[in-house]
Amino acid sequence: MDQIQLRTFSDYEKAYAASINDPVKFWEEIAAAYSWQAPWHKTLEWEFETPAVKWFQGGRLNITENCLDRHLKERGADIALLWEPNDPKEQEVRLTYSELHNEVSRFANVLKAKGVKKGDRVAVYMPMIPELTIGVLACARIGAVHSVVFAGFSSNALADRINDSQCVCVLTADGMYRGSKALPVKATVDEALEQCTSVESVIVVRRDGRDVTMVEGRDCWYHEAVVEVDTDCPAEPMDAEDLLFILYTSGSTGKPKGVVHTCGGYMVYAGYSFKNVFQYERGDVYWCTADVGWITGHSYIIYGPLLNGATTLMFEGVPTFPDAGRFWDVCDKYGVNQFYTAPTAIRALMACGDEFVDRAELGALKVIGSVGEPINAEAWHWYHDRVGRGNCPVVDTWWQTETGGIMISGLGNLSPQRPTYAGRPLPGIQPVLLDAESNEIEGDGVEGYLCIKHPWPSMLRTTYGDHERCKNVYFSNYEGYYFTGDGARREEGMYRIIGRVDDVINVSGHRFGTAEIENAINASPLVTESAVVGYPHDIKGQGIYAYVIVDGATQDVQAVRTSIIDTLVAEIGAIAKPDVIQIVPGLPKTRSGKIMRRILRKVAEGDTTNLGDTSTLLDPSIVEIIKADANQLRK
Ligand code: WT7
């Protein structure tokens, strides 16, 4: 894979030009760096109307052979997975490539013993323990489709996801540690499964040793099942376009949708982008602080690094336990060379004061990355100066669950840097800025809707079980383009992401649809109607601001708040708790009944002087009340 590494900015420029001139030839050369069980016969076939995109058709492969087996001869004794527990006093785990290969094979044999077959969907609802990575790879090993659900989601949210893709098996743990707390996990699965009929088996990893109920015939302990199987599990041959995984993400309408990624293209792009963005060299220790429950964890904790034979660090805990120096202590403990985190974590740690980062060495750091939301200039500089000690490039990586891999970013120290700009597109990526009439906006110093005009190997192929939805959400707004949902600005060929232009809000790098939160709030028996908007939040990037109309009979404001929060925690999870709940007598609606969110956004931002035209409102007086109450709430 070393042959696919770009080493100078001019390498990048040449690769970029080549990828535009002849994308097929370009990706053929990259894909050749991987091991295939059978060669593909058609590199790319595509149209963005239906849409239908196929890469490396006819090619056969297994991504775990590329992540594991391929490295055994030369790197079998290199560390593949480093695991740092929540509690720094607990022993870390170090697995070499050959050990990880064994562990994955054993877990894969447990799945087989439970009757899981190629094409079956497996839900993975686990804390950040080594068995999460092992379990994900075990699914891929036997051709089962993993659907990882972040362990902070509620039982209802888990049930929705299990049902949507009809999972036959769930991988989970008894409980989990998060900072000073131990939390239930298996109990949440049990609750979810009361609403699911497709699940035949549940495999439970022991983590915190709490008491759990085991359902006879359905549930088994991983440590008991694994002693019954052997360590050899041949990798299932997969077609390049077979499903590798489903990952649910929120959009502006309806329930979260299952983004589908396939084996060949995803592999090619995850490996290529990892190598080049982080400029990983053999022996480096790479750490991405994301949870495997999100796409960042899939592509840049598990697949991208392992495809490159890298040492990837997985961290169970939180940035502030035992104190706000934990990230930097862990960097020093392992000599982390590449560090990848989210702006919300950077801002939260920045607010804790410099002493924590100043007391660390951080001498091994070479590249520091950011992902998930726009990074503001202040956080960028703190990250660059304090964490990077002024001599590590910051790679601000823009991408999405749907894109599978990093799309716009600097490449290690090759690229010129500009705070708040993600940078240039990776080779093979053709971003454009469109105006409202779908015209491409040319030139520099311009803003528009960020779209992509040519397929790349790791793009989503569909939304699980509902291809029409994939078409409507991503390919219908601007015909012939993939629409990202983001607005962006271009300056000297570099892109600055402005943020979502749809009804999606980004809270600490987590994506929510406003409709999704409203539906959850409306499930509270005390609520008649609600409208949710995002507003700028110092730490989280965006906060959740909920305007709620309560049932006429309800008077007790505290009871309403508690009910709303409880309902949200039950429907989605604690991550969806609103930052502000404002009880309102009505919502600003047009005569046709449409909520004017523009006004609600302005009020939430604290800008009540400049609300624009309100003449089309059915009852403009409602705005005055909302404004006055908002000012009151702020006091
Ligand atoms: C949305 C995708 C893929 C990583 C985790 C989030 C925003 C992501 C950046 C960045 C500005 C960013 C966009 C995007 N976003 N990275 N570097 N700068 N905004 O994945 O949950 O699929 O969300 O996150 O708005 O559309 P996701």
Side-chain angles (χ1 to χ4, degrees), residues 249 294-296 340 370-375 396-403 408 422 484-486 497 499-500 506 509-511:
T249 189
W294 314 112
I295 190 71
T296 308
Y340 191 28
S370 169
V371 62
E373 44 170 325
I375 179 165
D396 176 1
T397 64
W398 174 84
W399 58 298
Q400 310 178 295
T401 305
E402 295 85 345
T403 68
I408 299 180
T484 65
D486 282 320
I497 310 303
R500 301 291 302 199
N506 188 327
H510 303 324
R511 227 161 114 173

Side-chain angles (χ1 to χ4, degrees), residues 424-546:
R424 289 178 175 70
L426 263 67
I429 306 305
Q430 301 188 30
V432 291
L433 299 177
L434 299 188
D435 66 18
E437 277 76 49
S438 298
N439 302 305
E440 288 186 21
I441 307 170
E442 306 285 340
D444 252 8
V446 293
E447 280 180 18
Y449 299 109
L450 179 62
C451 293
I452 315 287
K453 80 186 227 184
H454 189 277
W456 62 102
S458 64
M459 68 185 294
L460 87 164
R461 299 299 194 266
T462 188
T463 45
Y464 194 82
D466 192 353
H467 193 61
E468 198 58 24
R469 189 163 176 200
C470 174
K471 177 192 164 99
N472 290 337
V473 174
Y474 305 105
F475 297 92
S476 300
N477 300 48
Y478 304 97
E479 255 173 61
Y481 298 91
Y482 165 81
F483 175 45
T484 65
D486 282 320
R489 174 183 177 80
R490 185 174 49 225
E491 189 92 47
E492 292 171 15
M494 298 174 85
Y495 289 82
R496 166 192 222 160
I497 310 303
I498 299 164
R500 301 291 302 199
V501 294
D502 51 6
D503 287 320
V504 167
I505 50 185
N506 188 327
V507 185
S508 302
H510 303 324
R511 227 161 114 173
F512 296 102
T514 52
E516 177 191 8
I517 301 181
E518 288 160 10
N519 290 339
I521 291 178
N522 298 348
S524 155
L526 306 183
V527 171
T528 313
E529 198 184 349
S530 62
V532 165
V533 297
Y535 73 101
H537 186 288
D538 284 349
I539 304 285
K540 300 177 178 183
Q542 281 190 296
I544 301 176
Y545 197 120

Side-chain angles (χ1 to χ4, degrees), residues 296-316:
T296 308
H298 284 60
S299 302
Y300 300 110
I301 293 178
I302 303 182
Y303 289 116
L306 296 179
L307 284 165
N308 284 283
T311 298
T312 183
L313 170 65
M314 191 179 174
F315 173 46
E316 184 186 37

